[in-house]
Amino acid sequence: MNSSQVRYLIVGAGIHGLSTAWQLARRLRATGKGEGSDILVIDKSGIGAGASGVACGVIRNNYFQPAMRELMAHSVDVWESDPEAFAYHSVGYLQVAPEAMRADVEQIYKEQRAIGYESELVTGDKDCNRYLLDLFSDWKAEGITAVLHEKRGGYANNVASLKGLAAKAEAEGVRIRSGVRVTGVTVEGGAVTSVRTDSGDIRCEQLVVAVGPWVRDIWSMLGLPDRVTVAGPDGTVHTEAPMWEYWALQEGTLEVDPKEFTLNSGTLPPVVHVDSDEPLLDDTDGSLVTDQMWGIYYKPDFSFGGVQGGASPIRVAKAAADVEVDPYGTQSPEFVVGEDFVRMWTSALAHCHRRFEGCGMQYRREPSGGIGAFTPDSFPVFDRFRQNAYVIADSNHGYKMIGIGELVAKELLDERQSLLEPFRFDRYASGRLHPVSHSPFPWS
Ligand SMILES: Cc1cc2nc3c(=O)[nH]c(=O)nc-3n(C[C@H](O)[C@H](O)[C@H](O)COP(=O)(O)OP(=O)(O)OC[C@H]3O[C@@H](n4cnc5c(N)ncnc54)[C@H](O)[C@@H]3O)c2cc1C
């Protein structure tokens, strides 16, 4: 079978395209329904050219939405299946929260226990403070009344894990072609029959769209609506909700020796995520940064060469149709982080740890960040459209979701997956939306 005709055409060589290719190849072989060479992955740039290649790489279960937690637990199993190939560091994850989020965190803990996901919960001012000081002797943030310590998860190195996935897919016979851009889709009799690219048309039996922040474009090529009806849980119906909205992720690196950010025991800490409603003061001059709820996350990271992390993303003020996705990530003139983020994030680090006081000057001055395409409820859509076009639109939750590929692969072979049911597109019209938490992040 040559490149102009394939059974399975996957667009996008990020975490989802590559994991789907690998798992589909395995499944085809295991069921005798085909082989890896039935699958072609194309990417307009190359492996890791999108959001997966710039992701901070945090892997957590900590979601308020039960359906998200079950998906994440499944994905963590996949990360743990080959930590070396996926450059996965199983250091755990710590959610540190104020009273306003305490009930949410308690509920997450209870439900983690119900699905057998190992974590520890500490509540109350004094006990939280003691727990955090036992981990970090320089802990200083106050007003913390809930700590959830997930013993699994952690982080992975973005490009290294994609290379690991690509190698697994290629070992199964999958072909990956870089520098092939999809420019259109031909739909005949209600189904996709071929995809137009700048290297010629490719006929396919099944199309998988895994294009991250570029989903807006292929969605439009498929003739899908840019406005949708969203029925809210309170009975309100929004008939003209934008299908896509862009948010700019805010991340950066403090250029300190990552080895200096350890636990009191000298071992690597879990990824730390702190939400707080304490006023945040500028670490250099004591002026007010914010008196609104704020949140940050951070980890020592040897591939980034420092303490790397981020803060709540910023909604892009333009309509999705007007957003320039290219050039992407750190190459973008518009969507790399600015001074407000640097001030907020470094001040927040100093708010939490004595060791980071006065370290603002060590913030690495290089472009960082990237944008993500969010759905109307900020949760993923995993669904089939036009009979044979499977869209993986993760609403920017997705580097950690390395397991989606396995579930999608099964659905491509007509084995419906209950874990994916809560993420169908028709939930917007029918009002089966996910619950909303008190977190300052649109993705928790
Ligand atoms: C700064 C930042 C930090 C993040 N941190 C985390 C994190 O810590 N943890 C986490 O879980 N998630 C994180 N995310 C979210 C996560 O990175 C994304 O949700 C996920 O990587 C999306 O994966 P994907 O495979 O769908 O898309 P991508 O990785 O974006 O891959 C899409 C690919 O499609 C290709 N493509 C696009 N259009 C076309 C076309 N027309 N023809 C051919 N190819 C095309 C692109 O070149 C690209 O390589 C972060 C995102 C950003 C931006």
Side-chain angles (χ1 to χ4, degrees), residues 329-402:
T330 55
Q331 308 298 310
S332 166
E334 201 178 352
F335 299 122
V336 290
V337 303
E339 279 311 308
D340 285 353
F341 165 75
V342 179
R343 175 175 179 242
M344 184 270 159
W345 188 66
T346 54
S347 297
L349 285 173
H351 176 100
C352 296
H353 297 268
R354 257 194 316 278
R355 77 188 84 189
F356 296 134
E357 286 175 352
C359 284
M361 294 302 285
Q362 283 163 274
Y363 181 85
R364 184 179 299 148
R365 299 281 161 183
E366 66 180 9
S368 63
I371 56 172
F374 284 61
T375 63
D377 62 352
S378 298
F379 290 104
V381 169
F382 305 122
D383 213 340
R384 208 189 282 257
F385 299 87
R386 305 281 173 248
Q387 299 176 28
N388 59 350
Y390 201 108
V391 174
I392 303 176
D394 72 9
S395 198
N396 207 68
H397 290 275
Y399 174 79
K400 64 181 82 61
M401 298 164 98
I402 197 173

Side-chain angles (χ1 to χ4, degrees), residues 413-428:
L413 297 176
D414 294 327
E415 302 166 44
R416 271 183 94 94
Q417 299 298 300
S418 58
L419 286 179
L420 298 182
E421 292 298 345
F423 299 98
R424 306 302 185 199
F425 178 64
D426 68 3
R427 73 175 182 273
Y428 296 120

